[in-house]
Amino acid sequence: MAGAVSAGAYTAGVIDYLLESLHLWEKAKAQNKKLGKEHPQYNHSIPMHDVELEVLSGASAGGITGTLAVLSLLNKNHQFVNKDNPKGENNIFYQSWVKMADTDTETSLMKMLHTNDIKSDAYPESLLNVAPIEAIADNALQTNHQVAFPNYVSKSLDLVLTTTNLRGLNFHIDFKDSETVITNHGGFFRYKIANDTHKPGIPENDSSLFYVLDLQNETHVNYLKDATLSTSAFPIGLKSREIQIAHEYVARYPKYLFDRSEGIRVDLQKENTYTFNSVDGGLINNEPFGICMKVLIEKNKTIRDDDNYAIIMVDPFPNQDNDADAFDTKRDIISIAKGMFKALRNQVMFNQDGILEALSLSNRTKFLVEPKRKQQSGEKWIRSKKDLASAPLSGFGGFLDESFREHDFHLGRKNCQSFLRYYFAIENKNINKRFGTDVTEAALQRFSFSDKEDESKTPTYFPIIPDMRALHIINKEFDTDTYGEDAYLAYPAYPKFNMESFDNTYKKPIQKRIRAIVRSLTKSKLYTFAFRLLGQRKTYRLVRKTIEKSLHESELI
């Protein structure tokens, strides 16, 4: 799950539908197993192979959704967002990403403009007040005294959250009579959940680089909360996080990262714990499919030969910074500085952990879910110019209005429905090899579909996760009697935004926040007064113009 700032609402919608589909399929299989094949009510159209979630990896907003996914999967009281639960009750995806910290009297954005976090004797920690984000985390991350693993969740489930370590971790490399030091700023938090297989804490095996969380333990839940907030700490915009890690854990890094410990040691100095400032994991590894595959291979050495795996990448912005062929002929210092920053970041992303393993996957093992919105034009459906309402302002647009996040959440569910039915599949001829078992003729008739180019509609693919809401995929027949509008989701209505209403609501709070930041940075009442007289209006007009331009480009006004 990639980073996306407020467009994480889209990823949350995708995962909500994915988990609900697994849940419905599991219920159908359980009923079949209870009845037995000879029973007249046994449903032969239900595929009986198993799918098990092994690894969830996320960066930034994707990291938040990864944490929420683990908590949702293991919570008996979790409810999915559907026709029976349109307001997302008992659904932390919806409550965290759509409702956020909104109340009847104050929006999340208004709370992010509060100035009570800015101290007169210190520089501001971030442009925005993170108190509402911390409140969202407090509401979502609670202890769970009834942890239950569904059959489609591995008891060894891994949650991997990327982070950017501003301090850096020093590795000493031996060169016979001397040594050199290399510093790594990219990192990750890796967790498993305590059960009868994994005991809480750091594993005894010194080659294991993960921490086992006890969700009944408030301290452990707070560890997860800190890690989740740190992976999503967008640089400068949101507050960085101070993280502490046990030396015993950090000492295992060389063997894990370099596949050896001889000749490489980590510099732990004399502290009892390793402490560092952590910011957004997306700064260095925003699309962590590489480390996902690395962990998967670590858990099952023969997985690529067995060919019984698949990786799904959920990415709200999959095609950013793809203008590498555009050559900027300018060589002034500003242009060069911009080029250096982009080059450094792109190179870091290219070298991300595990990417070579991920790129060497076999056919139909890696899949992408990306935003796609369509609108009706006459009798045809055409692709919209813009997909996500939260996309403006580099992904911060969703903070402007709940309707933006609501749209993106439901677009995520819609896109995931199409993904499971028509994309996340294997070739029919490989069913036995990939699933380890055959499927019935009734299941083939119900769920198989054809390639887009196949005019004869000869079924050639079979879904890895069948959608129980479908009755006959090729003929587009869906079970509306049971699932109503959920059987075939409509594209959500694209929202609109009123800048005049924005001025009335946010002009004064934005000016107050900017003024407080100026006062904190300058430590001068005189300069702050001068800014209020001469610069405050101009600054707000610049902010407003930037917002309006970005919203206009996204067809939201």
Side-chain angles (χ1 to χ4, degrees):
M1 290 163 278
V5 198
S6 66
Y10 173 82
T11 304
V14 171
I15 301 301
D16 185 62
Y17 191 92
L18 177 68
L19 300 189
E20 184 182 13
S21 300
L22 282 167
H23 174 74
L24 293 174
W25 180 33
E26 185 62 33
K27 283 179 62 178
K29 287 195 296 180
Q31 178 66 12
N32 262 3
K33 291 174 182 177
K34 181 180 178 181
L35 294 173
K37 288 185 179 180
E38 305 306 318
H39 196 282
Q41 293 181 357
Y42 184 93
N43 191 338
H44 291 274
S45 74
I46 294 173
M48 297 301 288
H49 68 279
D50 292 322
V51 167
E52 190 173 70
L53 296 177
E54 280 284 356
V55 187
L56 299 171
S57 64
S60 192
I64 294 176
T65 307
T67 294
L68 298 180
V70 171
L71 298 177
S72 300
L73 282 166
L74 306 182
N75 185 353
K76 290 182 177 179
N77 298 319
H78 178 78
Q79 296 180 27
F80 302 102
V81 177
N82 49 39
K83 68 177 179 62
D84 299 320
N85 187 29
K87 295 185 179 179
E89 300 295 332
N90 293 320
N91 183 295
I92 55 177
F93 293 121
Y94 191 89
Q95 296 302 321
S96 300
W97 278 114
V98 178
K99 302 304 294 185
M100 286 192 169
D102 286 9
T103 64
D104 293 337
T105 58
E106 204 170 31
T107 65
S108 299
L109 178 57
M110 185 67 78
K111 294 177 181 180
M112 295 173 79
L113 295 172
H114 286 178
T115 60
N116 56 358
D117 63 318
I118 299 178
K119 310 302 179 185
S120 59
D121 58 345
Y123 290 130
E125 293 184 303
S126 56
L127 292 180
L128 296 171
N129 189 325
V130 299
I133 295 174
E134 292 173 342
I136 295 168
D138 289 339
N139 290 332
L141 278 76
Q142 302 278 342
T143 55
N144 181 357
H145 295 278
Q146 294 181 310
V147 173
F149 283 78
N151 288 337
Y152 49 86
V153 177
S154 169
K155 287 287 188 73
S156 184
L157 178 71
D158 280 282
L159 171 65
V160 184
L161 309 175
T162 64
T163 183
T164 300
N165 178 349
L166 295 185
R167 175 182 177 181
L169 195 59
N170 292 328
F171 294 97
H172 292 253
I173 314 296
D174 290 340
F175 281 90
K176 290 187 178 181
D177 298 329
S178 61
E179 63 180 20
T180 189
V181 177
I182 60 174
T183 303
N184 180 34
H185 291 275
F188 59 87
F189 306 99
R190 180 180 171 189
Y191 299 109
K192 294 182 187 291
I193 306 301
N195 52 57
D196 52 6
T197 304
H198 297 283
K199 303 306 177 185
I202 301 174
E204 293 182 4
N205 185 347
D206 62 5
S207 64
S208 297
L209 193 64
F210 57 80
Y211 190 88
V212 181
L213 295 169
D214 179 1
L215 294 184
Q216 300 183 61
N217 186 313
E218 186 175 353
T219 300
H220 281 213
V221 173
N222 285 334
Y223 290 159
L224 179 58
K225 188 185 302 180
D226 287 341
T228 303
L229 287 170
S230 75
T231 191
S232 58
F234 193 90
I236 302 176
L238 304 176
K239 186 174 73 173
S240 66
R241 299 285 162 175
E242 182 178 283
I243 300 295
Q244 293 184 338
I245 299 179
H247 271 194
E248 181 184 358
Y249 185 86
V250 178
R252 300 180 181 185
Y253 264 80
K255 190 171 182 178
Y256 185 83
L257 294 178
F258 305 109
D259 199 27
R260 59 179 295 177
S261 55
E262 183 181 353
I264 303 174
R265 64 181 178 85
V266 62
D267 184 0
L268 296 176
Q269 299 184 16
K270 296 181 180 180
E271 306 161 275
N272 292 325
T273 57
Y274 174 72
T275 305
F276 65 97
N277 282 332
S278 172
V279 296
D280 199 309
L283 185 64
I284 286 181
N285 188 351
N286 193 56
E287 296 164 319
F289 57 87
I291 194 169
C292 185
M293 188 63 199
K294 182 172 182 176
V295 172
L296 200 58
I297 293 172
E298 175 198 323
K299 298 173 75 170
N300 188 335
K301 303 294 184 185
T302 65
I303 199 166
R304 284 181 290 191
D305 293 331
D306 298 337
D307 210 22
N308 61 345
Y309 66 96
I311 286 183
I312 300 171
M313 181 75 196
V314 186
D315 194 346
F317 304 121
N319 298 309
Q320 287 188 338
D321 294 333
N322 60 352
D323 58 344
D325 293 333
F327 175 59
D328 187 354
T329 59
K330 296 179 182 177
R331 289 186 289 177
D332 58 89
I333 58 175
I334 301 299
S335 299
I336 294 298
K338 289 180 180 178
M340 284 174 58
F341 178 80
K342 181 179 178 181
L344 287 170
R345 188 172 189 277
N346 285 345
Q347 188 61 32
V348 166
M349 296 292 288
F350 184 81
N351 289 331
Q352 67 168 269
D353 193 29
I355 192 171
L356 293 181
E357 286 93 339
L359 293 178
S360 63
L361 305 185
S362 60
N363 184 38
R364 302 198 73 80
T365 54
K366 54 181 182 290
F367 299 86
L368 174 68
V369 183
E370 61 177 320
K372 290 185 179 179
R373 184 171 69 91
K374 294 182 179 180
Q375 59 191 49
Q376 202 158 11
S377 177
E379 297 181 356
K380 294 183 178 180
W381 285 89
I382 60 172
R383 178 74 185 271
S384 303
K385 292 181 180 179
K386 301 294 181 179
D387 299 303
L388 293 179
S390 298
L393 306 170
S394 300
F396 276 86
F399 292 118
L400 292 173
D401 199 85
E402 181 184 321
S403 65
F404 291 6
R405 309 188 297 268
E406 173 89 14
H407 169 273
D408 291 355
F409 183 91
H410 286 291
L411 181 64
R413 283 182 56 87
K414 169 65 176 176
N415 285 172
C416 188
Q417 184 175 81
S418 299
F419 172 72
L420 293 181
R421 292 175 178 178
Y422 305 112
Y423 296 93
F424 190 49
I426 61 172
E427 292 181 276
N428 285 355
K429 64 182 181 181
N430 291 330
I431 285 177
N432 187 277
K433 177 187 177 184
R434 299 290 299 275
F435 291 170
T437 184
D438 288 315
V439 299
T440 64
E441 184 61 31
L444 286 170
Q445 288 291 326
R446 179 177 177 182
F447 292 107
S448 287
F449 62 94
S450 60
D451 189 277
K452 285 184 177 180
E453 308 302 323
D454 183 5
E455 295 182 1
S456 65
K457 288 190 175 181
T458 302
T460 52
Y461 297 102
F462 192 86
I464 295 172
I465 299 175
D467 189 341
M468 292 295 103
R469 307 167 191 82
L471 294 175
H472 197 279
I473 288 292
I474 280 190
N475 292 337
K476 295 187 176 181
E477 297 175 7
F478 309 107
D479 190 356
T480 53
D481 290 342
T482 304
Y483 300 103
E485 61 189 27
D486 296 327
Y488 187 76
L489 293 173
Y491 284 98
Y494 201 55
K496 293 294 182 181
F497 192 75
N498 187 303
M499 285 303 299
E500 191 174 315
S501 176
F502 174 82
D503 286 331
N504 294 334
T505 305
Y506 294 111
K507 181 176 181 178
K508 289 184 178 179
I510 289 175
Q511 289 178 331
K512 184 178 179 181
R513 178 79 188 178
I514 294 172
R515 195 164 62 245
I517 291 173
V518 170
R519 183 174 63 247
S520 178
L521 290 172
T522 62
K523 304 290 188 291
S524 169
K525 292 182 179 180
L526 179 62
Y527 191 92
T528 304
F529 179 73
F531 172 80
R532 185 169 187 171
L533 287 178
L534 303 175
Q536 181 171 281
R537 291 181 181 177
K538 290 182 179 179
T539 304
Y540 176 75
R541 282 199 295 267
L542 176 62
V543 170
R544 188 192 190 283
K545 183 179 179 181
T546 301
I547 293 173
E548 186 174 26
K549 181 175 183 292
S550 188
L551 292 177
H552 186 268
E553 290 173 349
S554 293
E555 301 181 338
L556 288 160
I557 54 175

